[in-house]
Amino acid sequence: MAGQVNVLVVGEGGREFAIAKKLQESPHVKQVYCAPGNVGMPTVGVKPVGIAESDFAGLIKFAKEHEVAWTFVGPEDCLVDGIVDDFRAAGLKAFGPSARAAQLEGSKEYALNFMNNYNVPTARHVSFRDRTAAIAGVDQFGFPVVIKENGLAGGKGVVIAPNRETAVETINEMFDQGQSRLVLEECLVGPEYSMFVLLSNGHYRILPMAQDHKRAYDGDKGPNTGGMGAYSPLPQLEDADRQRIIDEVVKPTVAGLVAGEYHYHGILYIGLIMCEDGPKVIEYNVRFGDPETQVILPRLKTDLFELVDKSLNDEDLPEIEEDERASFGVVVASKGYPQNPLHGQLLCEFPAAAGINIDFANVTGTLDELKGNGGRLLMVETLASTLQEAHDAVYDYLNSLDLPECFYRGDIGAKAGL
Ligand code: AMP
Ligand code: GLY
């Protein structure tokens, strides 16, 4: 690691904003480029590059021309489509799993088979390719029953059906909309957490944990979204339970990746529910979470560049040092999200305030005249000595803004007693 280098981040959302910002803060980094990035990124010194995430050839060309040391891939669809394999074939390093390993997120059925093969605890489940069989299978789970589309759905392909009627309706809708496979699962009960593991082909480090808020509205009501807010650390999770997650979930997962000879230098995000009889995995994601990344990276004292660089070079990984302070963030989304979000509303100015970070995501226009571009627009986040202080600072700031045609949840952190 001699001198400063350039790196490229692929993606355009709040997650990529947080990754790019953190990398730009590293003393090893000269310039972070982000493709395609968003118009808010220059506020943290990151340069957006007008190349689409899906244009792998264009990204490879850019990386070569701009002496990019390596590329950090944010979103799952690029990974499932084989961006890391393409970069490697071109002689370039990219941080993320191979397409084969990305099936752990790309196909629920694949992930469940992996968990069965390597004894990773998960919900009781059956996958179906046939509508009639799926409908007939509903009763074996009792209600509520969890119904999942097999493929990528941006966190929105899961329905928890409270009764038989809704379950049948959901199954019919999913098949009508062209799904060829779906999974039925028992509904697990317990608090839900996100665990992030940085992998280096069999070696790993546990990153700070966070809790997401998937439902659109207060009180966990409304449809599932990509995530409406998050905080870290988790005061309600005891050290012994965190250790159980590592022993019972992370270790068999990593052992399975090694046994299956997967190429995996990247982030594995394990979504799990802490049930009475122990942790159970509800999903693997093969990348960082959004919005969890926006709250965990500010707490990461270990240099993110060094972690990624050493992983990609198969060198010993540094230990993880977590900031003692707490991080808390609330997502501002466009009215109508997730079903039918508005586009193009003019956003207010975001006055500088001590300690408050604005992680821009789906915004367009110019920095002087920012407009919403549908979906989750930005996150307001801060670090403070306690979660309560961070919570109060973020909500005080949000309450001072004028955000017409937008909404945010008012109860982020309620499960941590905030
Ligand atoms: P996923 O797309 O797999 O992340 O699922 C979206 C959300 O559905 C999760 O964050 C959970 O809140 C919920 N969920 C998924 N699977 C289950 C399950 N087996 N039991 C209870 N809730 C679940
Ligand atoms: N926050 C959920 C996800 O990134 O999938």
Side-chain angles (χ1 to χ4, degrees), residues 15 155 212 214 226-227 269 283 285 287-292 376:
R15 166 183 53 208
D212 189 11
K214 299 249 164 121
Y269 154 4
E283 61 171 347
N285 296 300
R287 36 81 193 174
F288 264 133
D290 188 341
E292 294 98 319
R376 294 180 293 169

Side-chain angles (χ1 to χ4, degrees), residues 107-108 147-153 156-159 174 177 179 181-183:
S107 162
K108 303 267 185 216
I147 308 172
K148 298 186 171 181
E149 292 177 5
N150 184 56
L152 291 180
K156 291 157 232 156
V158 174
V159 172
M174 285 185 180
Q177 283 162 8
Q179 283 293 317
R181 274 181 262 181
L182 51 81
V183 176

